[in-house]
Amino acid sequence: MTLDNESLTITKLNNSSFHINLKKSEVQVSPLPNTRVMPMLADPSQKYKPYTPLVLKDRQWPSKTFTKAPIWLSTDLRDGNQALANPMTIEQKTLFFRELIKCGVKQIEVAYPAASDTDFNFVRGLIENNEIPDDVWIQVLTPAREDLIKRTVDSVAGAKHAILHMYNATSPLFRDVVFRNSKEQTVELAVKHTKIVRQLTEECTAKYGTKFIYEYSPETFTQSEPEFALEICEAVKTAWGKAGLGEERIIFNLPATVEIGPPNHYADQIEDFCNKISEREKIIVSLHPHNDRGTGTAAAELGMLAGGDRIEGCLFGNGERTGNVDLVNLSLNLYTQGISPGLDFSDIQSVIDTITQCNDLPIHPRHPYAGELVFTAFSGSHQDAIKKGFEAQKIAHAAAVAKGEPPYWNMPYLPIDPADLGQNYEAVIRVNSQSGKGGIAYLIKQHLHLDLPRKLQVAFYQVIQEISDREAREVTVDDITTAFRQTYHFGGAKYKGRLALRNFKISTQSPIQTSEGSGDEASDETRHFDGTISVDGNYRVVRGDGNGPLSALLDALRTHLDINLVIREYSEHAIAEGTDSKAASYVELVPSNDRKSAQSWWGVGVDSDIAGSGLRAVLSAVNRAIGDRVLPELKLSVGFNARSGQADVSSAIANALGLLLPRRFQSSFFEVVQRHARDHGGEISYQAVTELFKKTYGFQIDTSSSKIVLASHKLGHLSEGRRQITAGFIVSGELKNATGAGNGPLSSVLAALHTLIDGSLSIREYSEHSVGEGTDVVAASYVDLVYEVSGAKKSSSWGVATDVDITTSGINAVLSAVNSLDVVLKKGN
């Protein structure tokens, strides 16, 4: 022991040390850090006595089963409220009461009215504000004291139905230590005040019409001698003197005020009481289990089998110490046995929100039926079982409905359908490092409607495992679906890979017919793929042949991009039905020279067309295979034995510039391309085609140095629908003004140009179309212009231009053609 002016430290023989603060107004004793005050005993029998079991020679409850729900009494607003660090306000209690009514609770212990003005005023408010439905009984609690009983009766005056609940403690511990009463004094206390309850309630009924039921609790019933608990209840029933049938029955509440034995012992006590109490038919046996040993739910259920008619508890098990028995748990246990509990938790989340708001206590994530994780499987084997269970149950339910039989719920690891509680299946399977491919595949099926082949499940599982290991956290559904989209370039432009399908056409080449009787078999039909794909953001036309659309695409990729892959596995299924049906395709690709390769790449595609979904799946897998590999530049072959033709060139321009060239314009530019390619081995790249087009027709390049450039123009109307243009042209670097008239803008500009050049210009063909969408749309114009001048051969050229104004687009197309021709300027110009 050491002593100073402020504190005293005592060290006991067992080396436990205590620090006593002497300066505080109250002496505070606390263990010093890093000391063990009271270790668990090696022989706890030297400190704790076991419960004393009842000897029941013919107990019946073990062989009974549940057939109906009990009467439910919620004591949230009384027993639950008194256990809160911050008791509920009147507003919170009113909100809680309304929630209990919504859930279908018909008996609600609302207060201990004599304890405080708050509780008294709350009860009066319920009555005076007509909050209590006609079929609901409110219950109020009072100890065995006359003044408190009177205050309690006054609180419910005017209510239609009320249960007055009186109690006094009956166990030896409370008789001898707390109240120091003998058995006889304890019985007399209960009898005397029961008579007072009878008198006061009868007066209230006469004056206000309130109908009463009387409830008596031998508090600490489970710690009382069974014969004494029976004796005091018999005495109370006699004192009450008017126990009858139906709503005239007296309620004996038999509480496990503190849970001191296993649930089977509580059931024995209840059965023993029910067998020995007289006039059993005039009694409601009510159970009030607490959860000190963690077996409150089991005690309540076994107590029901033993004869209990009514259960008092709280929603989600709030209450003193470890709480009252949980009414939600009990009622849903019955529900999952096919017994209607008479309580409605169809929107359990709404109930949770209200109760946690009022109690200011969270629901544990593992709380039965209500916790955030109770319908969640992280384990891979559990997830796989649930996934298979859903698939099998869908088939079983369809068969049952066809036979007119009930579609019974029968699922691994899910004793209740979350949908019955207003929950969805999103949280049923969640993913962490312990999860398996089955759970991940289930989530993909639920959220993306894709039923992945088993080998693809394995491949994608590795992707998720890598994420889980890297992040060291739970992987959310959004994480999984986003990873799937990114991995397989699935789900729109945001996830597009380096190669993407724009459009395609599949044609069939008939087999070569053999001579009759030659003995040779006809070859299989050949499929020809002709399509446009985006290659690193640039549209390219590719072509290939195969025995089907997918092999034809792979042939095109091999020919044009040096990608040599073949299909090892393919599967497909429909998504939805009817007109909204789509096809989902899955492709596994391997190197063409090693079909047994350990390395493979999976792809996924969805399209309303089955061929389209397969082609998209191929490109999905190809994107996985090529990674960041540099691809060869795509070129058009327009020389000897050319593989590319006029359509390829025009497609290249359409894809690069959005221009849909008229057919004669296509022919004209194809000749330009062929002449250029002759000097480059008969090949030309797509980029070179685009640049050649721009240079040839002055399209989207600086034309300020061209022979004739439009600086300004103004169109006017003449009589008989004719048009006149006044324009400023820059001719060989000098501004020249010219005016011309014609039937329209283009003929007017030709007339103006005739004032600047020798010879004549005429339009042989004109066409136009829009490019782009919405606010970005522009007009594209094409002009085939013919030029005739004395002493020279007639010539022609195409011109092209785009502009937001269609008239300006046409005029500039004319000038594009003019500048491609060798026009002769008038002298002086």
Side-chain angles (χ1 to χ4, degrees), residues 347-376:
D347 185 4
I348 198 169
Q349 188 58 52
S350 174
V351 181
I352 292 169
D353 293 343
T354 300
I355 274 55
T356 53
Q357 175 187 344
C358 295
N359 283 346
D360 196 25
L361 289 174
I363 302 294
H364 193 280
R366 299 294 183 186
H367 193 102
Y369 300 109
E372 179 186 354
L373 299 177
V374 296
F375 300 125
T376 298

mmCIF file of all heavy atoms in Angstrom, residues 347-376:
data_model
loop_
_atom_site.group_PDB
_atom_site.id
_atom_site.type_symbol
_atom_site.label_atom_id
_atom_site.label_comp_id
_atom_site.label_asym_id
_atom_site.label_seq_id
_atom_site.Cartn_x
_atom_site.Cartn_y
_atom_site.Cartn_z
ATOM 1 N N ASP A 347 -42.630 -4.497 -45.292
ATOM 2 C CA ASP A 347 -41.632 -3.456 -45.575
ATOM 3 C C ASP A 347 -40.755 -3.326 -44.344
ATOM 4 O O ASP A 347 -40.821 -2.353 -43.606
ATOM 5 C CB ASP A 347 -42.332 -2.134 -45.898
ATOM 6 C CG ASP A 347 -41.348 -1.033 -46.311
ATOM 7 O OD1 ASP A 347 -40.141 -1.336 -46.418
ATOM 8 O OD2 ASP A 347 -41.793 0.110 -46.517
ATOM 9 N N ILE A 348 -39.931 -4.337 -44.137
ATOM 10 C CA ILE A 348 -39.153 -4.388 -42.887
ATOM 11 C C ILE A 348 -38.166 -3.235 -42.791
ATOM 12 O O ILE A 348 -37.866 -2.771 -41.678
ATOM 13 C CB ILE A 348 -38.444 -5.748 -42.752
ATOM 14 C CG1 ILE A 348 -38.025 -5.983 -41.290
ATOM 15 C CG2 ILE A 348 -37.254 -5.853 -43.683
ATOM 16 C CD1 ILE A 348 -37.572 -7.384 -40.998
ATOM 17 N N GLN A 349 -37.692 -2.732 -43.913
ATOM 18 C CA GLN A 349 -36.734 -1.622 -43.844
ATOM 19 C C GLN A 349 -37.389 -0.377 -43.280
ATOM 20 O O GLN A 349 -36.757 0.382 -42.532
ATOM 21 C CB GLN A 349 -36.150 -1.333 -45.235
ATOM 22 C CG GLN A 349 -35.000 -0.333 -45.220
ATOM 23 C CD GLN A 349 -33.853 -0.786 -44.331
ATOM 24 O OE1 GLN A 349 -33.357 -1.899 -44.446
ATOM 25 N NE2 GLN A 349 -33.433 0.077 -43.413
ATOM 26 N N SER A 350 -38.653 -0.153 -43.611
ATOM 27 C CA SER A 350 -39.374 0.991 -43.051
ATOM 28 C C SER A 350 -39.510 0.846 -41.542
ATOM 29 O O SER A 350 -39.362 1.820 -40.794
ATOM 30 C CB SER A 350 -40.764 1.104 -43.703
ATOM 31 O OG SER A 350 -41.521 2.118 -43.079
ATOM 32 N N VAL A 351 -39.777 -0.379 -41.081
ATOM 33 C CA VAL A 351 -39.869 -0.628 -39.641
ATOM 34 C C VAL A 351 -38.514 -0.362 -38.983
ATOM 35 O O VAL A 351 -38.430 0.300 -37.939
ATOM 36 C CB VAL A 351 -40.324 -2.075 -39.369
ATOM 37 C CG1 VAL A 351 -40.436 -2.333 -37.867
ATOM 38 C CG2 VAL A 351 -41.659 -2.360 -40.048
ATOM 39 N N ILE A 352 -37.462 -0.866 -39.593
ATOM 40 C CA ILE A 352 -36.109 -0.652 -39.063
ATOM 41 C C ILE A 352 -35.802 0.839 -38.965
ATOM 42 O O ILE A 352 -35.294 1.321 -37.946
ATOM 43 C CB ILE A 352 -35.066 -1.348 -39.959
ATOM 44 C CG1 ILE A 352 -35.203 -2.869 -39.865
ATOM 45 C CG2 ILE A 352 -33.647 -0.925 -39.583
ATOM 46 C CD1 ILE A 352 -34.404 -3.618 -40.907
ATOM 47 N N ASP A 353 -36.133 1.587 -40.007
ATOM 48 C CA ASP A 353 -35.835 3.022 -40.021
ATOM 49 C C ASP A 353 -36.546 3.742 -38.883
ATOM 50 O O ASP A 353 -35.961 4.590 -38.202
ATOM 51 C CB ASP A 353 -36.247 3.631 -41.364
ATOM 52 C CG ASP A 353 -35.397 3.136 -42.528
ATOM 53 O OD1 ASP A 353 -34.301 2.588 -42.264
ATOM 54 O OD2 ASP A 353 -35.833 3.274 -43.679
ATOM 55 N N THR A 354 -37.824 3.403 -38.665
ATOM 56 C CA THR A 354 -38.588 4.062 -37.599
ATOM 57 C C THR A 354 -38.051 3.697 -36.228
ATOM 58 O O THR A 354 -37.852 4.567 -35.365
ATOM 59 C CB THR A 354 -40.072 3.683 -37.692
ATOM 60 O OG1 THR A 354 -40.587 4.099 -38.954
ATOM 61 C CG2 THR A 354 -40.873 4.341 -36.581
ATOM 62 N N ILE A 355 -37.805 2.412 -36.003
ATOM 63 C CA ILE A 355 -37.384 1.952 -34.674
ATOM 64 C C ILE A 355 -35.996 2.490 -34.331
ATOM 65 O O ILE A 355 -35.745 2.940 -33.210
ATOM 66 C CB ILE A 355 -37.443 0.413 -34.591
ATOM 67 C CG1 ILE A 355 -38.840 -0.065 -34.209
ATOM 68 C CG2 ILE A 355 -36.466 -0.124 -33.573
ATOM 69 C CD1 ILE A 355 -39.970 0.387 -35.044
ATOM 70 N N THR A 356 -35.072 2.467 -35.279
ATOM 71 C CA THR A 356 -33.732 2.984 -34.987
ATOM 72 C C THR A 356 -33.756 4.497 -34.784
ATOM 73 O O THR A 356 -32.983 5.030 -33.982
ATOM 74 C CB THR A 356 -32.747 2.633 -36.120
ATOM 75 O OG1 THR A 356 -33.289 3.074 -37.381
ATOM 76 C CG2 THR A 356 -32.513 1.138 -36.191
ATOM 77 N N GLN A 357 -34.648 5.175 -35.481
ATOM 78 C CA GLN A 357 -34.796 6.621 -35.292
ATOM 79 C C GLN A 357 -35.302 6.941 -33.889
ATOM 80 O O GLN A 357 -34.831 7.887 -33.246
ATOM 81 C CB GLN A 357 -35.764 7.183 -36.340
ATOM 82 C CG GLN A 357 -36.088 8.664 -36.159
ATOM 83 C CD GLN A 357 -37.173 9.133 -37.113
ATOM 84 O OE1 GLN A 357 -37.497 8.470 -38.095
ATOM 85 N NE2 GLN A 357 -37.756 10.278 -36.820
ATOM 86 N N CYS A 358 -36.244 6.135 -33.408
ATOM 87 C CA CYS A 358 -36.832 6.389 -32.088
ATOM 88 C C CYS A 358 -35.934 5.888 -30.951
ATOM 89 O O CYS A 358 -35.799 6.556 -29.919
ATOM 90 C CB CYS A 358 -38.212 5.726 -31.992
ATOM 91 S SG CYS A 358 -39.436 6.428 -33.122
ATOM 92 N N ASN A 359 -35.352 4.725 -31.108
ATOM 93 C CA ASN A 359 -34.516 4.148 -30.046
ATOM 94 C C ASN A 359 -33.099 4.701 -30.041
ATOM 95 O O ASN A 359 -32.389 4.592 -29.037
ATOM 96 C CB ASN A 359 -34.417 2.625 -30.216
ATOM 97 C CG ASN A 359 -35.668 1.910 -29.752
ATOM 98 O OD1 ASN A 359 -36.513 2.488 -29.077
ATOM 99 N ND2 ASN A 359 -35.787 0.643 -30.108
ATOM 100 N N ASP A 360 -32.671 5.241 -31.184
ATOM 101 C CA ASP A 360 -31.293 5.679 -31.355
ATOM 102 C C ASP A 360 -30.326 4.530 -31.089
ATOM 103 O O ASP A 360 -29.259 4.715 -30.500
ATOM 104 C CB ASP A 360 -30.987 6.864 -30.433
ATOM 105 C CG ASP A 360 -29.708 7.605 -30.847
ATOM 106 O OD1 ASP A 360 -29.349 7.526 -32.045
ATOM 107 O OD2 ASP A 360 -29.081 8.234 -29.981
ATOM 108 N N LEU A 361 -30.723 3.336 -31.512
ATOM 109 C CA LEU A 361 -29.889 2.151 -31.408
ATOM 110 C C LEU A 361 -29.815 1.494 -32.778
ATOM 111 O O LEU A 361 -30.837 1.366 -33.461
ATOM 112 C CB LEU A 361 -30.478 1.150 -30.408
ATOM 113 C CG LEU A 361 -30.414 1.513 -28.923
ATOM 114 C CD1 LEU A 361 -31.180 0.468 -28.108
ATOM 115 C CD2 LEU A 361 -28.971 1.593 -28.441
ATOM 116 N N PRO A 362 -28.632 1.058 -33.210
ATOM 117 C CA PRO A 362 -28.518 0.403 -34.523
ATOM 118 C C PRO A 362 -28.998 -1.042 -34.467
ATOM 119 O O PRO A 362 -29.065 -1.649 -33.399
ATOM 120 C CB PRO A 362 -27.017 0.469 -34.807
ATOM 121 C CG PRO A 362 -26.388 0.416 -33.444
ATOM 122 C CD PRO A 362 -27.321 1.162 -32.522
ATOM 123 N N ILE A 363 -29.327 -1.571 -35.629
ATOM 124 C CA ILE A 363 -29.612 -3.004 -35.772
ATOM 125 C C ILE A 363 -28.298 -3.684 -36.154
ATOM 126 O O ILE A 363 -27.633 -3.264 -37.098
ATOM 127 C CB ILE A 363 -30.666 -3.263 -36.867
ATOM 128 C CG1 ILE A 363 -31.955 -2.507 -36.559
ATOM 129 C CG2 ILE A 363 -30.924 -4.760 -37.015
ATOM 130 C CD1 ILE A 363 -32.692 -2.968 -35.329
ATOM 131 N N HIS A 364 -27.947 -4.718 -35.420
ATOM 132 C CA HIS A 364 -26.691 -5.411 -35.724
ATOM 133 C C HIS A 364 -26.759 -6.005 -37.132
ATOM 134 O O HIS A 364 -27.805 -6.516 -37.551
ATOM 135 C CB HIS A 364 -26.448 -6.534 -34.707
ATOM 136 C CG HIS A 364 -25.068 -7.087 -34.762
ATOM 137 N ND1 HIS A 364 -24.677 -8.016 -35.717
ATOM 138 C CD2 HIS A 364 -23.967 -6.833 -34.018
ATOM 139 C CE1 HIS A 364 -23.406 -8.310 -35.538
ATOM 140 N NE2 HIS A 364 -22.944 -7.616 -34.511
ATOM 141 N N PRO A 365 -25.651 -5.939 -37.881
ATOM 142 C CA PRO A 365 -25.666 -6.467 -39.259
ATOM 143 C C PRO A 365 -26.055 -7.941 -39.351
ATOM 144 O O PRO A 365 -26.518 -8.387 -40.395
ATOM 145 C CB PRO A 365 -24.230 -6.257 -39.731
ATOM 146 C CG PRO A 365 -23.662 -5.213 -38.851
ATOM 147 C CD PRO A 365 -24.355 -5.316 -37.544
ATOM 148 N N ARG A 366 -25.878 -8.706 -38.263
ATOM 149 C CA ARG A 366 -26.206 -10.133 -38.274
ATOM 150 C C ARG A 366 -27.524 -10.421 -37.543
ATOM 151 O O ARG A 366 -27.820 -11.579 -37.266
ATOM 152 C CB ARG A 366 -25.075 -10.936 -37.622
ATOM 153 C CG ARG A 366 -23.729 -10.804 -38.319
ATOM 154 C CD ARG A 366 -23.734 -11.406 -39.703
ATOM 155 N NE ARG A 366 -22.422 -11.344 -40.335
ATOM 156 C CZ ARG A 366 -22.190 -11.703 -41.589
ATOM 157 N NH1 ARG A 366 -23.193 -12.138 -42.341
ATOM 158 N NH2 ARG A 366 -20.980 -11.620 -42.103
ATOM 159 N N HIS A 367 -28.289 -9.389 -37.228
ATOM 160 C CA HIS A 367 -29.548 -9.599 -36.508
ATOM 161 C C HIS A 367 -30.512 -10.397 -37.385
ATOM 162 O O HIS A 367 -30.700 -10.080 -38.556
ATOM 163 C CB HIS A 367 -30.178 -8.254 -36.145
ATOM 164 C CG HIS A 367 -31.291 -8.364 -35.157
ATOM 165 N ND1 HIS A 367 -31.141 -8.065 -33.824
ATOM 166 C CD2 HIS A 367 -32.574 -8.777 -35.305
ATOM 167 C CE1 HIS A 367 -32.284 -8.274 -33.195
ATOM 168 N NE2 HIS A 367 -33.169 -8.703 -34.073
ATOM 169 N N PRO A 368 -31.143 -11.445 -36.833
ATOM 170 C CA PRO A 368 -32.031 -12.287 -37.661
ATOM 171 C C PRO A 368 -33.075 -11.472 -38.415
ATOM 172 O O PRO A 368 -33.734 -10.607 -37.841
ATOM 173 C CB PRO A 368 -32.677 -13.214 -36.624
ATOM 174 C CG PRO A 368 -31.679 -13.302 -35.525
ATOM 175 C CD PRO A 368 -31.037 -11.939 -35.453
ATOM 176 N N TYR A 369 -33.178 -11.743 -39.684
ATOM 177 C CA TYR A 369 -34.172 -11.191 -40.605
ATOM 178 C C TYR A 369 -33.980 -9.703 -40.918
ATOM 179 O O TYR A 369 -34.427 -9.242 -41.960
ATOM 180 C CB TYR A 369 -35.602 -11.395 -40.083
ATOM 181 C CG TYR A 369 -35.982 -12.829 -39.884
ATOM 182 C CD1 TYR A 369 -36.133 -13.348 -38.597
ATOM 183 C CD2 TYR A 369 -36.175 -13.682 -40.960
ATOM 184 C CE1 TYR A 369 -36.480 -14.677 -38.396
ATOM 185 C CE2 TYR A 369 -36.523 -15.013 -40.773
ATOM 186 C CZ TYR A 369 -36.668 -15.506 -39.487
ATOM 187 O OH TYR A 369 -37.003 -16.812 -39.289
ATOM 188 N N ALA A 370 -33.364 -8.947 -40.023
ATOM 189 C CA ALA A 370 -33.332 -7.492 -40.176
ATOM 190 C C ALA A 370 -31.945 -6.938 -40.447
ATOM 191 O O ALA A 370 -31.829 -5.821 -40.954
ATOM 192 C CB ALA A 370 -33.907 -6.826 -38.923
ATOM 193 N N GLY A 371 -30.901 -7.666 -40.099
ATOM 194 C CA GLY A 371 -29.546 -7.154 -40.263
ATOM 195 C C GLY A 371 -29.158 -6.985 -41.716
ATOM 196 O O GLY A 371 -29.672 -7.674 -42.612
ATOM 197 N N GLU A 372 -28.247 -6.083 -41.945
ATOM 198 C CA GLU A 372 -27.812 -5.770 -43.308
ATOM 199 C C GLU A 372 -27.232 -6.973 -44.025
ATOM 200 O O GLU A 372 -27.315 -7.085 -45.250
ATOM 201 C CB GLU A 372 -26.771 -4.648 -43.241
ATOM 202 C CG GLU A 372 -26.212 -4.234 -44.587
ATOM 203 C CD GLU A 372 -25.083 -3.232 -44.470
ATOM 204 O OE1 GLU A 372 -24.804 -2.775 -43.349
ATOM 205 O OE2 GLU A 372 -24.471 -2.918 -45.509
ATOM 206 N N LEU A 373 -26.644 -7.915 -43.277
ATOM 207 C CA LEU A 373 -25.926 -9.026 -43.900
ATOM 208 C C LEU A 373 -26.648 -10.366 -43.793
ATOM 209 O O LEU A 373 -26.087 -11.389 -44.180
ATOM 210 C CB LEU A 373 -24.531 -9.163 -43.263
ATOM 211 C CG LEU A 373 -23.603 -7.957 -43.412
ATOM 212 C CD1 LEU A 373 -22.298 -8.198 -42.672
ATOM 213 C CD2 LEU A 373 -23.337 -7.652 -44.875
ATOM 214 N N VAL A 374 -27.889 -10.388 -43.280
ATOM 215 C CA VAL A 374 -28.514 -11.692 -43.000
ATOM 216 C C VAL A 374 -28.879 -12.464 -44.269
ATOM 217 O O VAL A 374 -29.017 -13.688 -44.234
ATOM 218 C CB VAL A 374 -29.758 -11.551 -42.099
ATOM 219 C CG1 VAL A 374 -29.373 -11.013 -40.755
ATOM 220 C CG2 VAL A 374 -30.818 -10.675 -42.744
ATOM 221 N N PHE A 375 -29.063 -11.769 -45.379
ATOM 222 C CA PHE A 375 -29.376 -12.458 -46.628
ATOM 223 C C PHE A 375 -28.170 -12.453 -47.566
ATOM 224 O O PHE A 375 -28.311 -12.600 -48.776
ATOM 225 C CB PHE A 375 -30.573 -11.804 -47.319
ATOM 226 C CG PHE A 375 -31.830 -11.817 -46.497
ATOM 227 C CD1 PHE A 375 -32.510 -10.641 -46.231
ATOM 228 C CD2 PHE A 375 -32.318 -13.004 -45.978
ATOM 229 C CE1 PHE A 375 -33.659 -10.658 -45.464
ATOM 230 C CE2 PHE A 375 -33.462 -13.026 -45.209
ATOM 231 C CZ PHE A 375 -34.140 -11.847 -44.951
ATOM 232 N N THR A 376 -26.992 -12.282 -46.997
ATOM 233 C CA THR A 376 -25.792 -12.108 -47.807
ATOM 234 C C THR A 376 -24.863 -13.309 -47.681
ATOM 235 O O THR A 376 -24.620 -13.791 -46.575
ATOM 236 C CB THR A 376 -25.041 -10.837 -47.379
ATOM 237 O OG1 THR A 376 -25.885 -9.712 -47.603
ATOM 238 C CG2 THR A 376 -23.754 -10.665 -48.170
#
